[in-house]
Amino acid sequence: MRLETIAEQWLRDRYPDMVRWRRYLHQYPELSFQEEKTSRWIGDKLLEMGCEIKTGVGGNGIIATIQGKLPGPVVALRADIDALPIQDEKTCEYASKVPGVMHACGHDGHTAALLAVADFYNANKDKIAGERRLLFQPAEEVTPGGAIRMVEEGALDGADVIYGVHLWSPIPYGYASSKAGDFMSAADEFVIDIEGKGGHGGLPHNAVDAVMVGAALVQGVQTIVSRSVNPLHPAVVTIGSFQAGTTNNIIAERCQLKGTVRAFDETTRFMIHDKLEAFVRHTCEMHGASYSYHMRVGYPPVVNDAAEASRFFAVAEALFGPEGVIEAEPITVAEDFSYYLQKKPGCFMFVGAGNPDCGAVYSHHHPKFDIDERAMEKSASLLIGLAEHYARQHS
């Protein structure tokens, strides 16, 4: 009997454990780069299962290694473990007990699902062909992220392929989605500080109005995408914060803009960086203002391997049914799973976790975010299915 077939009943039996684990993590979230207690808790669970683990990888990361008795490939599976600086506004027994911190993106569910995968594989070592390497990664939410450090510290050394799942509330429970090639965009952050010359609101000719310069930038930078970017290469420039001034009759001396650049194509991405800085420089020079400009380069695009995306569709259709598998459109949100895919072939995918019947209707990063917890069982089954499908073809 195939391992994934054995896993179906195993995971059904372990579903109450997944729920309990997820709800514990939901009550005690920790921010990126601060996941010490979370990491210890995960490590203790893995040791109780009998897994061989390595702790402190890339900060608070853990690698669990399960070596099969049969020859075969090394398949890596990843979950992220960090939470967000958001106050939990849900009314439920498992709401966050940490003020201002919550799992508002499903990472608690990712972790619980991968723990169930670890338990299954450790109990079925004699049936595994090759190695299953499970990565519990810290700091996905904050650049430079935890993935790049885990890669630098050997998390993928000797691995043949890697898979990752994101529980996704915009997709209903019972569905899964991914695509070959460009899947998720790069995401970079910029800060522009403008310094003009303050003055009286009735005497603008004696001042350099930082608000006016900032407003010109807000309007003008949109022409970078509309007139400098190939329309076949999707990109976004958004200014999300504009801070200036104190009252109605004083011309502001200073202004600060914060924004983000999103793109799938690396050439387009860095062309936008250059154009943006040039636009800031010329606009400030034209109006007699000075400026500082800082671009923080974030995660690269998530680019799924074509062969592994095809594997996803084959495995997912068996698990969700043909009607339950969706060809994804590219999405302009970022994920540091991209660093793994730069090193090894693999696939990142969404598993539907939305359901109005259980309140899972809010977007990711919303203070009332929740998931249909049954999606954890689906995601665990998908990860095992992909790993075993790959192992059969490469053993």
Side-chain angles (χ1 to χ4, degrees):
M1 185 180 295
R2 289 181 172 181
L3 262 179
E4 55 264 54
T5 304
I6 300 171
E8 289 179 13
Q9 184 60 52
W10 181 281
L11 293 172
R12 278 195 292 271
D13 293 341
R14 290 297 183 275
Y15 176 67
D17 294 325
M18 283 187 252
V19 171
R20 188 174 68 255
W21 296 335
R22 183 256 169 170
R23 292 186 179 189
Y24 173 84
L25 292 167
H26 202 85
Q27 291 177 77
Y28 301 101
E30 292 181 294
L31 295 173
S32 305
F33 302 107
Q34 300 176 28
E35 314 94 334
E36 291 90 354
K37 293 179 181 177
T38 301
S39 183
R40 284 198 298 272
W41 183 86
I42 294 168
D44 289 344
K45 290 295 178 190
L46 291 167
L47 290 173
E48 289 173 11
M49 295 171 188
C51 295
E52 176 186 333
I53 68 170
K54 181 179 180 181
T55 61
V57 184
N60 295 311
I62 296 176
I63 299 176
T65 303
I66 298 120
Q67 184 62 54
K69 292 188 177 180
L70 305 172
V74 178
V75 180
L77 307 173
R78 174 267 207 170
D80 36 18
I81 68 174
D82 55 326
L84 285 154
I86 297 172
Q87 178 63 42
D88 195 342
E89 295 181 2
K90 292 191 301 300
T91 302
C92 62
E93 63 181 10
Y94 54 88
S96 174
K97 297 181 183 298
V98 182
V101 183
M102 74 171 287
H103 275 290
C105 204
H107 297 187
D108 50 346
H110 303 166
T111 301
L114 197 60
L115 282 171
V117 171
D119 194 23
F120 169 76
Y121 274 132
N122 195 66
N124 290 276
K125 289 180 181 179
D126 59 325
K127 302 178 184 70
I128 297 174
E131 176 189 318
R132 302 296 175 266
R133 186 179 301 173
L134 312 185
L135 313 182
F136 293 85
Q137 179 209 303
E140 187 277 329
E141 294 288 1
V142 177
T143 57
I148 191 169
R149 286 190 59 192
M150 291 195 76
V151 170
E152 291 169 351
E153 295 181 22
L156 291 183
D157 290 357
D160 295 289
V161 68
I162 184 166
Y163 303 109
V165 165
H166 203 306
L167 300 175
W168 200 243
S169 65
I171 299 176
Y173 168 75
Y175 292 81
S177 178
S178 190
K179 71 178 298 293
D182 294 338
F183 183 29
M184 304 175 78
S185 70
D188 307 311
E189 304 166 0
F190 60 85
V191 178
I192 304 164
D193 287 293
I194 300 165
E195 184 161 352
K197 180 182 177 183
H200 194 288
L203 301 170
H205 58 292
N206 293 330
V208 176
D209 189 349
V211 169
M212 183 272 297
V213 178
L217 287 174
V218 171
Q219 293 284 342
V221 298
Q222 300 308 315
T223 64
I224 296 173
V225 172
S226 66
R227 288 297 175 266
S228 296
V229 172
N230 185 331
L232 300 180
H233 296 164
V236 174
V237 178
T238 292
I239 293 177
S241 175
F242 187 122
Q243 302 291 327
T246 57
T247 190
N248 66 305
N249 64 345
I250 300 174
I251 291 175
E253 187 166 1
R254 296 179 180 84
C255 175
Q256 185 180 78
L257 308 177
K258 295 181 180 179
T260 183
V261 174
R262 311 270 166 150
F264 294 92
D265 175 77
E266 292 286 76
T267 300
T268 299
R269 178 190 188 188
F270 292 106
M271 179 274 288
I272 292 173
H273 290 193
D274 293 341
K275 290 278 188 180
L276 181 58
E277 184 172 15
F279 197 93
V280 172
R281 181 174 68 253
H282 293 317
T283 301
C284 289
E285 287 176 352
M286 180 173 63
H287 294 289
S290 59
Y291 73 95
S292 68
Y293 168 89
H294 176 69
M295 176 68 75
R296 185 174 185 177
V297 177
Y299 305 150
V302 172
V303 183
N304 284 331
D305 179 82
E308 297 312 319
S310 294
R311 192 183 313 281
F312 157 77
F313 284 103
V315 172
E317 284 185 11
L319 181 61
F320 294 87
E323 300 301 320
V325 183
I326 304 167
E327 176 85 26
E329 294 184 352
I331 183 171
T332 48
V333 297
E335 239 286 354
D336 71 347
F337 195 84
S338 54
Y339 289 115
Y340 301 118
L341 293 175
Q342 287 185 334
K343 298 295 183 181
K344 300 291 179 179
C347 187
F348 194 66
M349 55 220 110
F350 292 155
V351 167
N355 185 352
D357 293 339
C358 63
V361 296
Y362 297 96
S363 66
H364 291 254
H365 298 206
H366 189 281
K368 291 186 178 181
F369 174 83
D370 209 347
I371 60 171
D372 185 328
E373 292 173 317
R374 295 175 298 168
M376 295 187 293
E377 183 182 333
K378 288 288 190 182
S379 66
S381 292
L382 180 58
L383 289 171
I384 292 170
L386 286 162
E388 298 318 307
H389 193 286
Y390 183 91
R392 279 195 300 276
Q393 289 193 344
H394 294 85
S395 297

